[in-house]
Amino acid sequence: MMSNDLQAEADYMCCASCGITKAEFEYELVPCWVCSFYLVRYCSEKCHEDHWPQHEALCKERVLRNEILFRQPESTHLGDCPICLLPMSTGLGKSMIQSCCSKTICRGCSHAHSLHQKQQRQVRVCPFCRHPVPKSKEEVDKNNLKRIEANDPVALREIGKERYHAGNYEESFEYLEKAVELGDIAAQYYLGHMYQKGEGVEKDE
């Protein structure tokens, strides 16, 4: 049930063309039937036509924005960026994994965070967990080791990939298998690839 305050607000919403309120009109004011923008309402088709020259630009902009919005996928196998909550792009180089927390951040959020830190002359930290950004490969490896010891599936998958490219298929399989058991979808893909090629495991015919 609508509260008294909301009801009063709705009663005083007026036609964008002639200015008549819902309370005066005694009927529901109708949103623009092109963009359905609820803040622009009309009491009649004539008022909509009369107000169209003023509303047209905003209307077309809103329709275009809705088309772009609803063309976006609901999500990908990578999930959503934990900062902006938009679906993660599957394109190469469109996201990056933080060694400190194993969170995958989209490039947009990472870039915006980096610019902000430069402008504020702040010490560089992870955009998600605020851990200081590692300054060397040794620090990155140390962070990864902590995540692996914590059974982080992303860290397990990444070390599995690293071992695979180094030709150490046995260790790669162990890490990837553990990541799969913890629910990592990407690790399942790499594990399937190893079975298909018979790398470190019996080839799946």
Side-chain angles (χ1 to χ4, degrees), residues 8 13 29 32 48 50 53 65-66 72 86 88 99 110 115 118 121 140 165 169 172 174 185 194:
M13 183 165 285
L29 297 175
C32 170
H48 183 270
D50 291 344
R65 188 175 66 178
N66 285 345
Q72 299 293 324
L86 292 175
M88 202 74 72
S99 66
S110 179
L115 285 179
K118 287 180 180 178
R121 297 183 178 179
V140 171
H165 292 300
Y169 299 133
S172 174
E174 290 178 4
I185 297 174
M194 293 181 73

Side-chain angles (χ1 to χ4, degrees), residues 128-152:
F128 185 81
C129 71
R130 306 306 186 199
H131 187 281
V133 172
K135 298 178 181 178
S136 66
K137 179 67 164 57
E138 289 73 21
E139 288 187 27
V140 171
D141 291 341
K142 187 177 179 180
N143 287 341
N144 286 334
L145 183 59
K146 287 182 179 179
R147 299 311 306 163
I148 291 167
E149 290 174 347
N151 281 331
D152 187 305

Side-chain angles (χ1 to χ4, degrees), residues 77-91:
H77 70 283
L78 297 175
D80 300 337
C81 172
I83 296 178
C84 65
L85 304 181
L86 292 175
M88 202 74 72
S89 173
T90 56

